[in-house]
Amino acid sequence: MPKVLSVAWREFKQTVFRKVFLLAVIGIPVLMVAATGLAIVVMAGHEEPPLIGTIAVVAPTGEAIEAARAEFDPNRIAEQDQKQIEEIQEATSEMLGPAAAAGGPLNPSSTGTFEMGEFGGRATVAVEIEGSTDRREEAIEALKKRVSDGDLLAAAVISDEVLANPDPDTPRREWATFELYVGDDVDADHASFLETRLGEAVVRVRAARANLDADEAMAMLRRPRSSTRRIMAGGEEAAEGRGLRELKQIIPVFFMMLLWIAVFSSSQHLMMSTIEEKSNRVMEVLLSAVSPMQLMTGKILGHGAVGLVIVLIYASLALAGLISFAMLHLIEVADLVYLFVYFFMAYFMIASIMAAVGSAVTDIREANTLVTPVMIVVMIPLILWMPISQAPNGGIAVAFSFIPPAIPFVMILRIAADETVPFWQIPATIVWGYASVVGMIWMAAKIFRVGVLMYGKPPSPLQLIKWLRYA
């Protein structure tokens, strides 16, 4: 045992006490926070170029032209932008939940109201509408020429079919569309803005023809907000806003990605160090002091400690963030316990594979060839994280909960999701998973003992299976 611990400490020390490791593990969160802050600063200082010019609107009647003039009225645009800012402010307060109510660091009331342009608001809009009812082909081509020459900002051609109320039974893709021609110097945001405003003008004409007020009709069609309250097991009620629900959907993915990063970062180091020591013949020196089994065990334990350090660092940062925003209630203590239970399961599964592959080859390209089939299985939780987290008790989720080495990644997704997993499945997957760990470590030890001193042509998967039969 002392020799195993010596090997483990050597592996841990050579990995953790290096500037590259500290830069990668600690620097990545710092870099992400800095990048987010920089993005906010850039967005706050960003100003769209002014939208100034003339738009030619070709319509069969003057009502569409007048509706377009109303939609591009500067006062109306400013009023609608202010409403949008208020909705964003309300959604932010809803997502922040208790932190906003307590006057937390991002509480809108503590930072002042959102003024127009405070976060890169819309720039000056000064658009004039030039109306025309001439829909002849030569007239349209003349307008296109003016747009190309820069005389016009854009030109819109609206037909009678567009102004007519569409049949609700007709698929949306078959509805009539209006044509909009914009200059090459008009950016994508401004083009989308023109499309929206002209579309609203068409809706305004349709409402007027149906003897309806457009604003009232849109207000009637707007869905009411709901005050959703979740009834807990003890009968207590807890408010649940839309933003809070979205955060809860992110948590399972965070748990799985934390598991993924910690496991594969440490096990990848394990494989790389094994390949390096074997190719440099350092392995032969180590085997003169310890047995192959002691060496493999020490390597796995040492890099497992590395993975545990990664989990503790990232989990601590995440918990600190939740505490600062008064959102610690989003995570249950049981979820954190299961995180570590499934971390050790995931690590020993992947590490045993990496140790076996690293001992059998002398080049990283050869190792990637042997590891690829296993990676395909482990990638399934990443690919199917959405259906698994949304339906944690579905057939796919339950099936992959019992297929190693995908067990820990799928189970942490299911446990952290909103829907309760049948309790019997948790101990069943833990027992089956750790039984698989014992089997995988046993097979890895067989391959490690044979492959650690084998040089030359890399073995095929069939040869690795043959090595398992050696005494």
Side-chain angles (χ1 to χ4, degrees):
M1 193 62 182
K3 292 183 178 181
V4 172
L5 295 178
S6 297
V7 174
W9 172 248
R10 170 182 172 272
E11 296 292 329
F12 179 81
K13 181 175 62 175
Q14 288 186 348
T15 304
V16 173
F17 298 156
R18 295 173 62 186
K19 294 180 180 179
V20 175
F21 177 82
L22 296 175
L23 182 63
V25 175
I26 301 177
I28 288 177
V30 173
L31 184 61
M32 291 177 63
V33 172
T36 303
L38 180 61
I40 293 174
V41 172
V42 171
M43 290 176 63
H46 172 70
E47 292 185 3
E48 289 186 358
L51 183 62
I52 301 174
T54 302
I55 300 176
V57 177
V58 180
T61 60
E63 54 186 342
I65 298 170
E66 291 303 318
R69 289 196 176 102
E71 284 297 324
F72 283 97
D73 180 72
N75 294 327
R76 179 178 178 80
I77 294 173
E79 180 182 348
Q80 292 185 349
D81 281 350
Q82 184 61 38
K83 287 182 179 179
Q84 186 176 8
I85 289 174
E86 290 172 358
E87 290 176 359
I88 294 173
Q89 178 180 350
E90 186 176 353
T92 303
S93 300
E94 193 174 294
M95 181 172 291
L96 290 173
L106 290 181
N107 184 2
S109 64
S110 66
T111 58
T113 58
F114 293 100
E115 299 294 338
M116 292 295 293
E118 183 178 349
F119 291 98
R122 193 181 307 285
T124 303
V125 177
V127 174
E128 294 183 0
I129 302 298
E130 178 184 305
S132 173
T133 58
D134 189 356
R135 300 187 61 218
R136 293 177 302 160
E137 185 176 348
E138 53 268 25
I140 302 299
E141 291 299 325
L143 290 177
K144 291 182 184 179
K145 181 68 167 56
R146 292 176 62 190
V147 172
S148 176
D149 294 341
D151 185 30
L152 289 176
L153 189 65
V157 181
I158 303 174
S159 63
D160 281 319
E161 292 78 13
V162 175
L163 296 176
N165 286 321
D167 186 352
D169 296 330
T170 304
R172 184 180 178 88
R173 63 179 179 274
E174 297 179 10
W175 289 2
T177 58
F178 67 90
E179 299 173 352
L180 178 64
Y181 306 98
V182 298
D184 186 50
D185 57 342
V186 176
D187 64 28
D189 290 339
H190 283 163
S192 298
F193 177 71
L194 297 178
E195 291 173 356
T196 301
R197 286 292 166 182
L198 291 170
E200 294 291 338
V202 170
V203 172
R204 188 169 292 279
V205 173
R206 291 173 179 172
R209 289 184 176 183
N211 296 321
L212 298 172
D213 181 87
D215 294 328
E216 291 181 0
M218 291 178 184
M220 284 190 296
L221 293 174
R222 186 175 300 165
R223 290 181 300 172
R225 295 180 56 205
S226 66
S227 177
T228 305
R229 305 186 71 82
R230 188 176 293 274
I231 306 299
M232 313 304 288
E236 301 89 354
E237 296 183 11
E240 182 175 286
R242 180 181 175 184
L244 198 61
R245 242 182 344 258
E246 292 174 349
L247 284 175
K248 286 184 176 180
Q249 292 175 354
I250 297 174
I251 288 175
V253 185
F254 170 78
F255 272 94
M256 187 192 65
M257 291 305 299
L258 178 58
L259 212 64
W260 179 275
I261 292 171
V263 167
F264 279 93
S265 296
S266 53
S267 58
Q268 187 77 10
H269 281 126
L270 167 63
M271 185 178 70
M272 293 294 295
S273 67
T274 305
I275 294 174
E276 183 180 356
E277 289 170 357
K278 182 180 176 181
S279 60
N280 293 338
R281 303 280 182 167
V282 176
M283 190 71 70
E284 299 175 8
V285 177
L286 295 174
L287 291 175
S288 64
V290 295
S291 67
M293 188 62 182
Q294 290 173 329
L295 179 60
M296 189 194 77
T297 304
K299 280 180 163 294
I300 291 177
L301 292 178
H303 288 280
V306 174
L308 186 60
V309 169
I310 296 174
V311 170
L312 291 174
I313 291 174
Y314 288 168
S316 300
L317 291 175
L319 290 175
L322 290 175
I323 291 172
S324 65
F325 292 115
M327 293 183 180
L328 191 59
H329 63 283
L330 295 178
I331 296 180
E332 298 180 6
V333 177
D335 294 343
L336 296 175
V337 174
Y338 288 129
L339 171 66
F340 288 97
V341 170
Y342 285 107
F343 162 73
F344 289 113
M345 181 192 299
Y347 171 74
F348 285 118
M349 283 183 176
I350 303 301
S352 60
I353 296 171
M354 295 296 190
V357 171
S359 67
V361 301
T362 56
D363 187 85
I364 186 62
R365 290 170 295 183
E366 301 167 355
N368 290 335
T369 303
L370 295 175
V371 170
T372 298
V374 178
M375 290 297 298
I376 292 174
V377 177
V378 181
M379 285 288 290
I380 290 175
L382 279 180
I383 299 172
L384 300 179
W385 72 266
M386 180 71 77
I388 290 175
S389 60
Q390 290 185 347
N393 293 320
I396 295 177
V398 174
F400 280 99
S401 296
F402 293 89
I403 299 178
I407 295 174
F409 303 101
V410 174
M411 282 304 297
I412 200 65
L413 263 178
R414 296 179 62 198
I415 291 173
D418 277 342
E419 191 173 338
T420 304
V421 177
F423 182 75
W424 69 267
Q425 293 185 13
I426 298 177
T429 56
I430 291 175
V431 172
W432 169 238
Y434 277 101
S436 302
V437 166
V438 173
M440 295 172 74
I441 290 178
W442 176 82
M443 290 187 290
K446 288 275 191 177
I447 295 174
F448 193 92
R449 184 175 59 179
V450 176
V452 74
L453 292 176
M454 295 280 288
Y455 293 91
K457 184 180 178 181
S460 64
L462 185 60
Q463 287 176 307
L464 292 179
I465 295 175
K466 290 180 179 180
W467 290 1
L468 296 176
R469 297 184 297 182
Y470 292 171

